[in-house]
């Protein structure tokens, strides 16, 4: 069976690994681990096609432990038990190195089955995952492991890997002259979204699907590259890490008053078709990050959100863009958000005391006998519709929750409050 090109060019030495210089560069953590020969339990976390399996295979070659490799997607507890049965055999005298791919697909019981043997050193675990291990990996395994994050590859790193793939293909197809337009490599790198495996699969398809001419030569141009690449797929999973990462970047860009970045992250969310999450996040941003600086923002956003929900995609992108730009360019204030959180914190941490008796409900027979509402002062009966009286419970009568922001709207609010209180 012919091996895929991605497997043929898989590096055998760490110096040939594309990217991950923050881990594999000189004096970086993974480089030091490999140089020492002391292999500890590790969890490789990062998107697909960035070298996690490659590095695990390199580690397997430098250790004298028996190497096992299983994929949690289709493995079971029985697969783990079979490895455990081998632990005291002649083949495993130096212990076992277990590479567990996609560990997030193992449930708690399956992950727990490894703990005893990780503890006594009979199993050294290298696990990989595309999901945040702090959300999906059992805490006891996390505490016994070093988490190393693998980054998406840059365009330049992808192009470097593609050149190597083409060189290997030229050796395999020595009777065929392979030539290509330089724009092909840049295009494939751009649409591969940091995934070298995906990029290599595309160039492999381009090479093997192009019919040689009469001179036994093939030329890969941009049109062939476009045919051999799928539509660019962004890393996005509505129940996974990327979902929250993009929403976080979206909100922080709006909060930071960067309309261009805000629209960029909105575009990512639109590409994923995640209308509900966009609408929910826009509504909360209008109150959390703009709030009292532009109180009417929530009305505009609500109208845009309602329009988007009625229209659906693709037209929904237009009111969503409007709402995003309104929020990104609006004055900012988190005073409403801070005020309610301070008040809630007091409820959790203080004895706030009872409501003043004159503020309690007095709309029933016998309320006067209980003293309810007896000394209440009706503000509308006083000048400027204001009269000084204590509204907070006695225990927290001096508490301050609302602190007006330094924006035009809230400065007007602050001046108004000062005016009526000092009149």
């Amino acid at each position: 069976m012919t091996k895929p090109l991605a497997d043929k060019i898989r590096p055998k030495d760490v110096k040939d690994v594309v990217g991950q210089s923050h881990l594999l560069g000189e004096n970086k953590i993974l480089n030091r681990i490999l140089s020492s020969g002391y292999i500890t339990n590790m969890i490789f976390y990062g998107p697909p096609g960035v070298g996690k399996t490659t590095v695990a295979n390199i580690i397997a070659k430098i250790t004298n432990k028996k190497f096992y490799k299983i994929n949690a997607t289709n493995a079971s507890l029985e697969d783990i038990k079979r490895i455990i049965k081998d632990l005291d055999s002649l083949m495993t005298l130096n212990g076992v190195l277990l590479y567990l791919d996609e560990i997030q697909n193992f449930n708690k019981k399956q992950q727990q089955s490894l703990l005893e043997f990780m503890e006594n050193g009979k199993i050294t675990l290298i696990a990989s995952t595309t999901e945040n291990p702090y959300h999906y990996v059992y805490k006891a395994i996390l505490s016994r492991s070093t988490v190393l994050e693998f980054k998406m590859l840059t365009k330049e790193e992808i192009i470097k890997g593609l050149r190597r793939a083409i060189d290997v293909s030229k050796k395999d197809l020595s009777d065929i002259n392979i030539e290509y337009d330089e724009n092909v490599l840049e295009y494939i790198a751009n649409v591969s979204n940091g995934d070298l495996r995906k990029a290599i699969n595309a160039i492999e398809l381009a090479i093997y699907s192009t019919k040689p001419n009469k001179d036994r030569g093939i030329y890969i141009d941009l049109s062939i590259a476009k045919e051999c690449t799928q539509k660019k797929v962004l890393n996005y999973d509505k129940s996974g890490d990327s979902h929250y990462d993009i929403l976080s970047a979206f909100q922080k860009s709006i909060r930071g008053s960067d309309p261009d970045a805000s629209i960029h992250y909105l575009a990512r969310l639109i590409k994923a078709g995640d209308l509900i999450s966009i609408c929910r996040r826009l509504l909360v941003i209008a109150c959390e990050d703009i709030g009292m600086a532009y109180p009417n923002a929530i009305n505009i956003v609500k109208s845009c959100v309602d329009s988007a929900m009625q229209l659906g995609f693709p037209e929904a992108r237009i009111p969503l863009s409007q709402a995003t730009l309104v929020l990104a360019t609006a004055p900012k204030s988190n005073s409403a958000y801070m005020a309610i959180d301070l008040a809630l914190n007091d409820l959790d941490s203080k004895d706030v005391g009872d409501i003043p008796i004159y503020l309690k409900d007095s709309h029933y027979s016998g309320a006067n006998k209980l003293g309810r509402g007896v000394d209440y002062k009706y503000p509308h009966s006083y000048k400027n519709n204001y009269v000084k009286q204590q509204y907070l419970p006695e225990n927290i009568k001096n508490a301050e929750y609302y602190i007006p922001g330094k924006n035009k709207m809230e400065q007007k609010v602050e001046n108004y409050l000062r005016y009526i209180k000092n009149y």
Side-chain angles (χ1 to χ4, degrees):
M1 183 175 70
T2 304
K3 288 176 65 177
L5 184 56
D7 279 344
K8 288 180 184 177
I9 73 162
R10 195 182 293 277
K12 303 289 192 298
D13 192 289
V14 67
K15 69 178 186 298
D16 297 321
V17 176
V18 174
Q20 312 311 330
S21 57
H22 66 293
L23 298 176
L24 297 169
E26 188 176 355
N27 291 324
K28 298 302 182 181
I29 178 65
L30 197 45
N31 189 301
R32 299 201 308 272
I33 290 172
L34 294 171
S35 299
S36 71
Y38 177 73
I39 308 303
T40 185
N41 299 308
M42 291 180 278
I43 297 174
F44 294 168
Y45 161 48
V50 296
K52 299 188 297 297
T53 302
T54 295
V55 173
N57 286 336
I58 292 172
I59 292 173
K61 287 181 172 61
I62 68 171
T63 181
N64 60 355
K65 298 176 184 291
K66 174 68 174 175
F67 181 59
Y68 291 89
K69 179 179 177 181
I70 59 176
N71 191 306
T73 304
N74 49 33
S76 67
L77 190 56
E78 290 304 313
D79 295 294
I80 298 294
K81 288 179 178 178
R82 277 194 288 272
I83 294 171
I84 291 171
K85 283 181 183 178
D86 288 344
L87 287 178
D88 295 320
S89 68
L90 288 174
M91 295 187 301
T92 61
L93 288 178
N94 295 314
V96 161
L97 178 67
L98 171 61
Y99 178 52
L100 179 56
D101 198 12
E102 305 293 348
I103 188 175
Q104 75 274 7
N105 291 311
F106 261 13
N107 60 35
K108 184 176 179 180
K109 184 177 180 181
Q110 289 170 313
Q111 293 185 38
Q112 283 178 319
S113 66
L114 298 168
L115 283 175
E116 176 188 345
F117 306 100
M118 291 172 64
E119 195 73 45
N120 61 28
K122 290 186 176 183
I123 290 180
T124 300
L125 176 69
I126 298 178
S128 69
T129 176
T130 55
E131 302 293 346
N132 192 325
Y134 295 99
H135 296 164
Y136 291 92
V137 178
Y138 184 48
K139 285 183 174 57
I141 286 183
L142 279 176
S143 69
R144 292 163 173 79
S145 307
T146 301
V147 177
L148 301 173
E149 183 174 2
F150 283 59
K151 306 289 188 180
M152 286 176 60
L153 301 184
T154 65
K155 181 178 74 174
E156 292 71 25
E157 289 165 344
I158 295 286
I159 290 174
K160 180 180 177 181
L162 285 172
R163 292 191 192 281
R164 186 168 174 226
I166 292 172
D167 288 342
V168 169
S169 296
K170 286 180 177 179
K171 291 177 183 177
D172 284 351
L173 303 171
S174 55
D175 61 329
I176 295 176
N177 181 35
I178 302 173
E179 294 184 344
Y180 56 90
D181 188 327
E182 281 293 325
N183 290 334
V184 164
L185 303 188
E186 185 160 347
Y187 175 79
I188 293 176
N190 280 331
V191 299
S192 64
N193 202 37
D195 184 336
L196 181 56
R197 187 189 303 113
K198 180 180 178 181
I200 291 171
N201 289 343
I203 200 68
E204 180 180 27
L205 180 58
I207 291 170
Y208 283 92
S209 67
T210 303
K211 187 176 180 180
N213 58 29
K214 62 180 181 179
D215 298 320
R216 300 295 293 165
I218 63 172
Y219 183 77
I220 302 170
D221 60 19
L222 197 54
S223 63
I224 293 174
K226 289 181 178 180
E227 287 178 343
C228 294
T229 50
Q230 299 174 345
K231 184 179 179 182
K232 185 174 181 180
V233 178
L234 297 174
N235 289 331
Y236 191 85
D237 179 354
K238 288 185 181 181
S239 61
D241 240 22
S242 56
H243 167 79
Y244 297 104
D245 287 345
I246 297 174
L247 284 171
S248 176
F250 180 53
Q251 180 162 2
K252 287 171 181 172
S253 297
I254 292 176
R255 182 184 296 151
S257 299
D258 189 327
D260 297 313
S262 303
I263 288 293
H264 168 77
Y265 292 114
L266 173 64
R268 289 195 183 202
L269 292 164
I270 288 172
K271 277 286 188 182
D274 196 357
L275 181 56
I276 297 297
S277 292
I278 299 170
C279 293
R280 292 183 72 249
R281 190 57 63 111
L282 285 169
L283 287 168
V284 77
I285 292 169
C287 299
E288 179 180 347
D289 295 305
I290 285 78
M292 292 293 292
Y294 182 27
N296 201 39
I298 185 62
N299 297 326
I300 297 171
V301 170
K302 181 63 166 64
S303 296
C304 289
V305 162
D306 287 347
S307 297
M309 293 296 288
Q310 288 184 4
L311 289 167
F313 287 129
E315 289 84 358
R317 75 190 189 283
I318 303 168
L320 293 176
S321 177
Q322 179 183 345
T324 298
L325 291 173
V326 165
L327 297 178
T329 58
K332 305 298 188 292
S333 172
N334 69 343
S335 59
Y337 162 67
M338 294 297 293
I340 189 60
D341 277 7
L342 286 171
L344 289 169
N345 183 64
D346 273 3
L347 292 178
D348 290 335
S349 60
K350 295 180 180 179
D351 174 15
V352 297
D354 198 11
I355 299 169
I357 195 167
Y358 48 83
L359 296 183
K360 293 186 176 182
D361 179 30
S362 59
H363 294 86
Y364 56 91
S365 176
N368 284 351
K369 294 179 181 178
L370 296 174
R372 265 62 168 172
V374 172
D375 295 320
Y376 173 61
K377 298 174 184 176
Y378 186 56
H380 296 297
S381 299
Y382 296 83
K383 204 165 189 177
N384 292 321
N385 298 1
Y386 174 79
V387 61
K388 186 175 181 179
Q389 66 183 327
Q390 182 179 321
Y391 292 95
L392 280 168
E394 180 66 22
N395 293 5
I396 56 167
K397 65 181 180 181
N398 295 318
E400 290 186 30
Y401 299 123
Y402 175 54
I403 301 172
K406 302 302 180 183
N407 56 77
K408 187 176 180 180
M409 179 66 197
E410 287 187 277
Q411 287 303 294
K412 288 183 178 180
V413 170
E414 187 172 26
N415 290 336
Y416 167 72
L417 291 174
R418 284 176 179 168
Y419 170 75
I420 62 171
K421 290 179 181 180
N422 293 326
Y423 189 83

